[in-house]
């Protein structure tokens, strides 16, 4: 995975630098392209040696347009460059790194909350407020249901993890008892 991250970083940084003050506005477009690029059939089409990069660009841009995403010139240039260099598979990682750059500039960080059960909106607001105090930053949360946690939550913010799940506590007890 480090190789994809290394490949993606220059593309994400170049778009971020080129976008300037419009960086946040382009985030959704880049995310939409990343979602398209993660389709296996599209990548097989792009990897076909008989297919010209311009055909791949036209196909991806056309699909994006059908989904209601009109590409900015800068995002179009990124897509064209990625396709020309045979890096379509790296587009999801490019989008992730670009999103992180945009979030860092605005002071908002992405957080994933893994929960064994659905968290109702009033509870989620309380959890987010507590997490923002704990991590000392504004968070953009995404909730994922993971029944394996048994209870509690697991929060991932960047490379920081806060795990208060029952599963984690049982693992800690297991380690303590077998040590």
């Amino acid at each position: 995975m480090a190789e994809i991250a290394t490949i993606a970083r220059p593309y994400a940084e170049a778009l971020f630098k080129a976008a300037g003050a419009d960086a946040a506005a382009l985030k959704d477009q880049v995310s939409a392209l990343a979602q398209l690029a993660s389709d296996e059939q599209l990548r097989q089409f792009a990897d076909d040696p008989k297919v010209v990069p311009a055909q791949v660009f036209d196909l991806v841009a056309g699909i994006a347009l059908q989904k209601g995403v009109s590409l900015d010139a800068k995002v179009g240039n990124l897509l064209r460059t990625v396709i020309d260099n045979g890096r379509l598979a790296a587009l999801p990682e490019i989008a992730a790194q670009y999103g992180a750059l945009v979030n860092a500039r605005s002071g908002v960080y992405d957080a994933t909350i893994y929960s064994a059960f659905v968290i109702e909106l009033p509870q989620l607001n309380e959890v987010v407020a507590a997490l923002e105090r704990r991590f000392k930053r504004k968070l953009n949360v995404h909730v994922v249901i993971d029944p394996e946690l048994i209870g509690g939550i697991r929060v991932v913010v960047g490379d920081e993890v806060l795990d208060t799940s029952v599963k984690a506590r049982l693992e800690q007890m297991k380690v303590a008892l077998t040590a």
Side-chain angles (χ1 to χ4, degrees):
M1 217 27 122
E3 185 176 313
I4 293 286
T6 303
I7 290 169
R9 186 172 298 109
Y11 292 102
E13 289 175 350
L15 179 61
F16 183 72
K17 187 175 182 181
D22 297 333
L26 301 180
K27 186 177 174 184
D28 290 338
Q29 292 178 30
V30 177
S31 296
L33 288 179
Q35 192 174 27
L36 293 175
S38 62
D39 182 69
E40 189 61 35
Q41 288 180 333
L42 179 65
R43 287 207 315 263
Q44 285 177 352
F45 176 76
D47 291 340
D48 188 338
K50 296 177 185 174
V51 176
V52 187
Q55 291 174 308
V56 177
F57 176 82
D58 291 342
L59 178 67
V60 174
I63 293 171
L65 195 57
Q66 284 179 344
K67 293 190 180 243
V69 179
S70 179
L71 298 181
D72 182 88
K74 294 174 184 99
V75 177
N77 288 340
L78 169 74
L79 179 61
R80 189 170 276 112
T81 303
V82 166
I83 292 170
D84 288 346
N85 293 327
R87 304 289 193 198
L88 191 63
L91 201 50
E93 181 63 25
I94 293 169
Q97 290 191 22
Y98 181 77
L101 290 169
V102 170
N103 288 346
R105 177 189 282 171
S106 65
V108 176
Y109 292 83
D110 288 329
T112 304
I113 300 175
Y114 297 91
S115 174
F117 304 101
V118 175
I119 304 174
E120 298 299 327
L121 191 58
Q123 286 178 312
L124 182 60
N125 290 336
E126 290 177 24
V127 169
V128 170
L131 290 172
E132 287 177 345
R133 285 191 303 273
R134 162 75 168 77
F135 288 103
K136 297 182 176 93
R137 57 188 99 153
K138 185 88 174 124
L139 300 176
N140 178 20
V141 299
H142 174 68
V143 179
V144 176
I145 304 301
D146 184 3
E148 290 185 13
L149 295 179
I150 304 169
I153 62 171
R154 180 174 184 259
V155 182
V156 179
V157 180
D159 60 354
E160 296 179 70
V161 178
L162 174 65
D163 197 343
T164 62
S165 67
V166 172
K167 180 180 178 182
R169 290 181 186 172
L170 289 172
E171 288 293 326
Q172 290 171 352
M173 289 172 55
K174 178 182 173 185
V175 169
L177 291 172
T178 59

